[in-house]
Amino acid sequence: MEFVTFRKYPQLDTAKYLVQLLEKNDIANEFIQNKSNLDRNFSSPLLEDFEVKIFPKDFELAEKILLEDNKKFITSLPEDYYLYSFSNEDLKEIISKKDEWSEIDFLLAIEILNSRGIAISEEEIEASRKQRLQELKKPEKNPHDWIFAGYVFAFLGGLLGILIGYFLWKQKKTLPDGSRVYEYVLSDRIHGKRIFKIGIISVIIGVLYQLFIA
């Protein structure tokens, strides 16, 4: 079993706090600082993020621990916090798409709805979570442009064709429950595999040709 990404943060302190919280609860983790390779001579906090990985089997427990820990921050939020101006429908969307929001926003959305007389039960939250997982499991839209570009670069013998092919063939995404699914449908992954192989063959032919004429 390998570690998979649980959270990414732009701030080091936030990521380190999560690591401490996980270790306090005996949850194995891996901390990674990602830096952009666009320009090694240019250093900027905008070009890096901090990633915390855990085992998929620990996702549910880690989520519960993180939510419980964030409850203590709710009372310290200012009265003009932006969620207070959200409509009921907007707040329900936060609950149904929890993976797109912070834990504080998720908890506060429930609290605001409750204060408005709209009770959100645990059963409703669980139903929303399962429905959201089914939505996220759906493959991405058909990447026609990437497939076309992949074949072109692969036949031209470029390494870019190999990279595009491998991406289409092997790319996976991590769901909120820690499971991983392929990014694209089988037919697109078959294209990716073909592009990858064509790219490899083209590169080999190109190398042999250069050796022959040399």
Side-chain angles (χ1 to χ4, degrees), residues 31-97:
F31 173 77
I32 299 175
Q33 181 176 356
N34 298 312
K35 290 189 176 182
S36 172
N37 291 320
L38 292 176
D39 188 346
R40 295 181 183 275
N41 296 318
F42 179 71
S43 178
S44 169
L46 297 177
L47 297 179
E48 63 183 11
D49 59 48
F50 306 93
E51 187 175 356
V52 180
K53 294 185 173 185
I54 62 176
F55 291 126
K57 67 179 181 64
D58 293 326
F59 264 58
E60 184 176 352
L61 175 58
E63 287 280 1
K64 290 180 179 178
I65 291 171
L66 201 51
L67 281 174
E68 189 63 32
D69 183 74
N70 274 270
K71 286 181 180 179
K72 63 188 179 186
F73 299 114
I74 296 294
T75 56
S76 62
L77 294 174
E79 293 183 0
D80 60 348
Y81 192 74
Y82 69 103
L83 251 62
Y84 287 111
S85 64
F86 277 31
S87 67
N88 294 341
E89 290 305 313
D90 290 336
L91 294 171
K92 288 179 181 179
E93 184 173 338
I94 292 176
I95 296 171
S96 64
K97 296 182 178 180

Side-chain angles (χ1 to χ4, degrees), residues 117-129:
I118 303 174
I120 304 295
S121 66
E122 290 295 330
E123 290 76 14
E124 289 177 292
I125 295 174
E126 180 62 18
S128 294
R129 186 187 73 85

Side-chain angles (χ1 to χ4, degrees), residues 34-207:
N34 298 312
K35 290 189 176 182
S36 172
N37 291 320
L38 292 176
D39 188 346
R40 295 181 183 275
N41 296 318
F42 179 71
S43 178
S44 169
L46 297 177
L47 297 179
E48 63 183 11
D49 59 48
F50 306 93
E51 187 175 356
V52 180
K53 294 185 173 185
I54 62 176
F55 291 126
K57 67 179 181 64
D58 293 326
F59 264 58
E60 184 176 352
L61 175 58
E63 287 280 1
K64 290 180 179 178
I65 291 171
L66 201 51
L67 281 174
E68 189 63 32
D69 183 74
N70 274 270
K71 286 181 180 179
K72 63 188 179 186
F73 299 114
I74 296 294
T75 56
S76 62
L77 294 174
E79 293 183 0
D80 60 348
Y81 192 74
Y82 69 103
L83 251 62
Y84 287 111
S85 64
F86 277 31
S87 67
N88 294 341
E89 290 305 313
D90 290 336
L91 294 171
K92 288 179 181 179
E93 184 173 338
I94 292 176
I95 296 171
S96 64
K97 296 182 178 180
K98 176 179 173 293
D99 54 286
E100 296 181 356
W101 298 82
S102 69
E103 286 75 24
I104 289 180
D105 287 342
F106 172 77
L107 291 168
L108 185 58
I110 296 174
E111 184 173 299
I112 294 174
L113 285 172
N114 287 336
S115 70
R116 295 177 182 177
I118 303 174
I120 304 295
S121 66
E122 290 295 330
E123 290 76 14
E124 289 177 292
I125 295 174
E126 180 62 18
S128 294
R129 186 187 73 85
K130 290 181 179 179
Q131 182 179 349
R132 180 63 173 164
L133 281 175
Q134 292 304 313
E135 292 175 358
L136 293 174
K137 282 181 180 179
K138 295 177 182 178
E140 298 296 321
K141 294 181 179 179
N142 196 308
H144 292 293
D145 293 341
W146 280 110
I147 292 174
F148 176 77
Y151 276 116
V152 171
F153 285 111
F155 277 111
L156 291 177
L159 292 176
L160 185 56
I162 296 174
L163 293 174
I164 292 175
Y166 189 83
F167 178 82
L168 292 171
W169 177 24
K170 293 291 189 179
Q171 181 67 11
K172 289 185 176 183
K173 55 185 176 181
T174 303
L175 302 182
D177 65 349
S179 60
R180 288 174 59 76
V181 296
Y182 283 107
E183 191 90 19
Y184 302 105
V185 297
L186 178 60
S187 58
D188 294 335
R189 286 190 276 120
I190 290 174
H191 278 297
K193 187 176 181 180
R194 287 174 182 165
I195 292 169
F196 178 80
K197 291 183 176 181
I198 291 171
I200 294 291
I201 294 172
S202 296
V203 168
I204 293 174
I205 291 174
V207 171

